[in-house]
């Protein structure tokens, strides 16, 4: 599911080659897009308001009706389809205009793909799709079968149109392999993506043959089928983290622990196990709720909310972050326990949300979601906003400016163990222990490595480690050495 690609556009403007379905009257359109009296014509480019009919272009020549319908399944009922295979195009009609708007908005930030080929989706200027059902029998058979499956019944029409694609799904459990994993993929990321297709019950992640893999169980096999149809071959992030999805031979997952490697969303009371921090009850409850889709149009801004209060002004001068480069920060004037944080791009906003939502800070659970705002507005010149807005665009501390930076390979969830680098040679273990103890916490373990330049330091809790990282990343150690602090996947 790529982000916005340079050669793919999704929006409300009609492309120059959208076909006029109604050359003489709405009822005269046949299954191949032609009528008996006049050839289809190309309409001039113009803006088109939202419509429940969507125009899909640049489809692969071998695409099937089922694959086109699968694009719309997550957003609601698909009520009609017209395939124009000679032109590599199709028209898809959804049950409601709201469903169509949701679909277009989603695919604005997540590039739709069919058979690994990016396709173009836009509103049509037609309010409904009328076709000659006698000449569109295969598409209608597919639609009827899909509707029956969605409603939990059995297809009563010619199911041969579906071949094996919409046959009874063999299992509610999917096996997921992540190729080209440039960014970390967490349990929460998978849950957010797959919950669009139904209730996600359980997830287990593991590494096999040097590949990140996961087993994910839906409540119903049909939900697993719809997810596989829509997501197989898609990218989670722009040009990377490609999903390879197939059915597992398992029909039920046995999850013993709720931690960063496995989770049973039906049993939030399970222990963490393996030394992992237990899920806070409030966090467990939040995880049972539907999450927003990955890569929505608001991915550029991550709103940051906490049950505790912020300082009255932004007194810090950092812009470098653990999960990306914070560009601007704004504490809300009338709600000072909430803030908007603008990251460099949607991928970084997603990483921050995935890793920080539900963590504890200042004794409170913080909530991080994607905002409807695209940017954080700076106050007008001369207006005193009491120091609630800060611009870090030109900060020299950004860690992720360079594409492909090694810093992207060292992004980990919050943990009690911190990785320290850029340590001066004359600084001792006792100096660092004292420094981090003063930040408010207990240092449980410490270890230098790579000579004296780096160290691992373990706090007593994840919350203490988060606080220490905020306070001491970029701390001036003297002799032009600024301490670099990040979360570590290692333990001491």
């Amino acid at each position: 599911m790529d982000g916005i690609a340079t050669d793919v556009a999704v929006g409300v403007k009609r492309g120059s080659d959208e076909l006029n379905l109604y050359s003489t009257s709405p009822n005269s359109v046949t299954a191949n897009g032609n009528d008996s009296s006049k050839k289809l014509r190309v309409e001039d480019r113009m803006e088109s308001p939202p419509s429940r009919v969507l125009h899909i272009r640049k489809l692969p020549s071998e695409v099937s009706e089922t694959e086109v319908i699968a694009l719309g399944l997550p957003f609601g009922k698909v009520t009609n389809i017209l395939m124009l295979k000679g032109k590599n195009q199709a028209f898809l009609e959804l049950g409601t205009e709201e469903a169509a708007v949701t679909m277009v908005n989603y695919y604005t930030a997540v590039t739709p793909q069919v058979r690994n080929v990016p396709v173009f989706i836009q509103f049509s200027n037609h309010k409904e799709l009328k076709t000659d059902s006698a000449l569109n029998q295969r598409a209608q058979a597919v639609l009827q079968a899909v509707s029956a499956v969605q409603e939990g019944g059995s297809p009563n029409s010619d199911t041969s149109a579906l071949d094996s694609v919409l046959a009874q799904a063999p299992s509610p459990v999917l096996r997921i392999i992540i190729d080209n994993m440039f960014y970390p993929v967490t349990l929460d990321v998978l849950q957010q993506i797959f919950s669009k297709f139904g209730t996600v019950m359980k997830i287990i992640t593991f590494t096999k043959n040097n590949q990140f893999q996961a087993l994910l169980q839906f409540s119903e096999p049909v939900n697993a089928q719809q997810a596989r149809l829509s997501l197989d071959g898609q990218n989670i992030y722009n040009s990377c983290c490609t999903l390879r999805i197939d059915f597992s031979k398992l029909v039920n997952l046995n999850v013993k622990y709720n931690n960063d490697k496995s989770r049973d969303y039906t049993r939030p009371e399970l222990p963490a196990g393996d030394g992992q921090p237990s899920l806070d009850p409030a966090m467990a409850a939040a995880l049972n709720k539907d999450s927003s889709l990955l890569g929505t149009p608001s991915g550029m801004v991550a709103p940051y909310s906490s049950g505790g209060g912020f300082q009255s002004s932004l007194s810090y001068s950092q812009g470098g972050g653990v999960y990306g480069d914070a560009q601007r920060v704004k504490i809300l004037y009338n709600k000072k326990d909430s803030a908007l944080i603008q990251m460099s791009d949607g991928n970084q906003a997603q990483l921050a949300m995935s890793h920080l939502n539900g963590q504890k800070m200042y004794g409170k659970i913080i909530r991080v979601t994607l905002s409807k705002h695209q940017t954080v507005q700076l106050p007008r010149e001369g207006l005193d906003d009491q120091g609630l807005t800060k611009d870090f665009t030109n900060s020299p501390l950004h860690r992720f400016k360079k594409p492909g930076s090694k810093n992207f390979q060292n992004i980990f969830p919050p943990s009690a163990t911190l990785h320290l680098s850029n340590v001066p040679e004359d600084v001792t273990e006792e100096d660092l222990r004292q420094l981090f103890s003063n930040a408010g916490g207990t240092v449980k373990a410490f270890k230098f490595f790579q000579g004296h330049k780096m160290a691992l330091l373990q706090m007593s809790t994840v919350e203490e480690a988060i606080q220490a990282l905020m306070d001491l990343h970029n701390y001036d150690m003297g002799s032009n050495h600024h301490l670099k602090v990040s979360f570590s996947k290692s333990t001491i």
Side-chain angles (χ1 to χ4, degrees):
M1 292 187 298
D2 281 356
I4 298 175
T6 56
D7 60 342
V8 179
V10 182
V12 297
K13 285 192 175 182
R14 296 180 54 253
S16 60
D17 56 349
E18 179 176 345
L19 302 174
N20 181 7
L21 291 182
Y22 307 140
S23 51
T24 55
S25 69
N27 294 323
S28 67
V29 182
T30 61
N32 62 3
N34 296 322
D35 65 10
S36 58
S37 61
K38 188 175 182 180
K39 291 184 178 180
L40 291 167
R41 65 182 175 85
V42 175
E43 294 185 345
D44 295 330
R45 179 179 295 272
M46 59 178 286
E47 289 191 1
S48 180
S51 165
R52 65 192 185 101
V53 179
L54 300 177
H55 181 209
I56 306 172
R57 299 190 290 120
K58 299 184 180 179
L59 288 164
S61 57
E62 68 277 12
V63 70
S64 67
E65 289 89 344
T66 301
E67 290 170 297
V68 175
I69 291 172
L71 289 171
L73 283 180
F75 307 95
K77 186 174 181 180
V78 177
T79 53
N80 210 346
I81 182 175
L82 176 62
M83 300 290 292
L84 307 174
K85 292 191 175 182
K87 296 183 178 292
N88 300 99
Q89 300 182 26
F91 288 85
L92 197 66
E93 180 187 273
L94 274 71
T96 65
E97 184 177 295
E98 181 183 8
V101 170
T102 301
M103 180 173 170
V104 168
N105 286 343
Y106 176 69
Y107 286 131
T108 298
V110 181
T111 304
Q113 293 193 8
V114 177
R115 301 198 180 194
N116 296 324
V117 176
V119 299
F120 185 110
I121 300 178
Q122 60 200 131
F123 291 117
S124 169
N125 66 329
H126 306 295
K127 294 302 180 183
E128 68 177 321
L129 185 60
K130 294 185 178 180
T131 57
D132 187 331
S133 59
L135 297 175
N136 199 24
Q137 289 181 345
R138 175 180 169 84
Q140 295 304 313
V142 172
L143 278 174
Q144 288 181 25
V146 169
S147 298
V149 172
Q150 283 186 310
E151 294 166 6
S154 299
N156 55 15
S157 61
D158 180 13
T159 56
S160 63
L162 294 174
D163 300 320
S164 61
V165 181
L166 284 178
Q168 181 64 38
S171 167
V173 180
L174 294 175
R175 185 184 65 152
I176 303 161
I177 298 176
I178 310 293
D179 286 340
N180 191 24
M181 199 168 91
F182 186 75
Y183 293 103
V185 176
T186 66
L187 272 169
D188 294 333
V189 167
L190 292 174
Q191 195 269 348
Q192 289 164 40
I193 294 170
F194 283 84
S195 63
K196 180 66 180 178
F197 301 88
T199 302
V200 174
M201 309 288 284
K202 306 170 186 178
I203 306 177
I204 298 174
T205 63
F206 55 95
T207 300
K208 183 177 180 181
N209 299 328
N210 295 320
Q211 280 188 312
F212 179 86
Q213 300 188 27
L215 294 172
L216 184 146
Q217 180 177 338
F218 280 100
S219 58
E220 300 292 339
V222 66
N223 302 133
Q225 180 72 295
Q226 292 175 356
R228 186 180 70 89
L229 282 171
S230 295
L231 298 178
D232 185 35
Q234 306 281 19
N235 293 331
I236 296 177
Y237 299 115
N238 190 25
S239 302
C240 67
C241 299
T242 306
L243 291 164
R244 305 297 180 195
I245 305 172
D246 206 345
F247 285 104
S248 170
K249 294 180 180 179
L250 301 172
V251 294
N252 183 55
L253 297 180
N254 182 22
V255 177
K256 296 182 179 179
Y257 305 110
N258 282 336
N259 52 41
D260 64 347
K261 294 181 180 179
S262 63
R263 194 164 297 159
D264 187 336
Y265 294 93
T266 67
R267 301 180 64 195
E269 76 282 358
L270 285 178
D274 297 332
Q276 297 289 340
S278 299
L279 282 176
D280 181 270
M283 177 59 177
L287 287 172
N288 285 326
K289 297 179 181 179
D290 290 337
S291 302
S292 58
L293 282 174
L294 177 64
T296 55
S298 59
M300 290 296 291
V301 180
Y304 172 98
S305 179
S306 166
F310 283 98
Q311 297 176 353
S312 60
S313 64
L314 295 170
S315 58
Y316 49 86
S317 60
Q318 300 179 29
V322 178
Y323 301 115
D325 296 330
Q327 301 295 305
R328 294 176 180 177
V329 179
K330 183 181 186 67
I331 296 175
L332 303 188
Y333 181 78
N334 292 322
K335 195 177 181 183
K336 291 187 172 61
D337 65 346
S338 299
L340 297 175
I341 301 176
Q342 180 178 335
M343 307 298 288
S344 292
D345 58 45
N347 292 338
Q348 293 181 11
Q350 176 63 43
L351 282 171
M353 181 180 74
S354 300
H355 288 309
L356 296 177
N357 184 40
Q359 294 293 338
K360 250 188 175 182
M361 183 165 40
Y362 301 114
K364 302 290 184 178
I365 298 292
I366 62 173
R367 302 297 177 208
V368 186
T369 59
L370 296 175
S371 170
K372 64 181 180 180
H373 300 286
Q374 298 297 321
T375 60
V376 171
Q377 298 295 328
L378 296 176
R380 294 191 301 272
E381 188 174 352
L383 179 66
D384 180 15
D385 77 335
Q386 302 179 11
L388 297 178
T389 307
K390 199 87 170 182
D391 188 359
F392 299 106
T393 304
N394 298 317
S395 170
L397 305 179
H398 289 163
R399 303 195 206 190
F400 304 97
K401 278 185 177 181
K402 185 179 179 182
S405 167
K406 289 185 178 180
N407 289 328
F408 283 109
Q409 301 172 18
N410 296 308
I411 297 176
F412 304 108
S415 66
T417 304
L418 298 171
H419 179 274
L420 315 182
S421 61
N422 205 29
V423 179
E425 291 184 1
D426 58 346
V427 170
T428 65
E429 175 180 337
E430 184 58 35
D431 293 332
L432 290 171
R433 282 179 173 269
Q434 185 64 42
L435 179 65
F436 279 79
S437 296
N438 291 341
T442 302
V443 177
K444 294 187 64 177
F446 183 93
K447 181 175 71 174
F448 273 121
F449 65 97
Q450 284 202 4
H452 199 86
K453 297 178 181 179
M454 298 183 183
L456 291 176
L457 182 145
Q458 184 178 339
M459 305 296 290
S460 60
T461 66
V462 175
E463 184 181 2
E464 287 182 3
I466 292 174
Q467 184 67 52
L469 185 149
M470 290 191 300
D471 291 344
L472 298 175
H473 173 61
N474 200 48
Y475 182 83
D476 189 354
M477 303 291 291
S479 304
N480 201 29
H481 281 80
H482 288 80
L483 188 65
K484 305 300 180 186
V485 185
S486 60
F487 296 115
S488 174
K489 65 177 179 179
S490 304
T491 56
I492 305 175

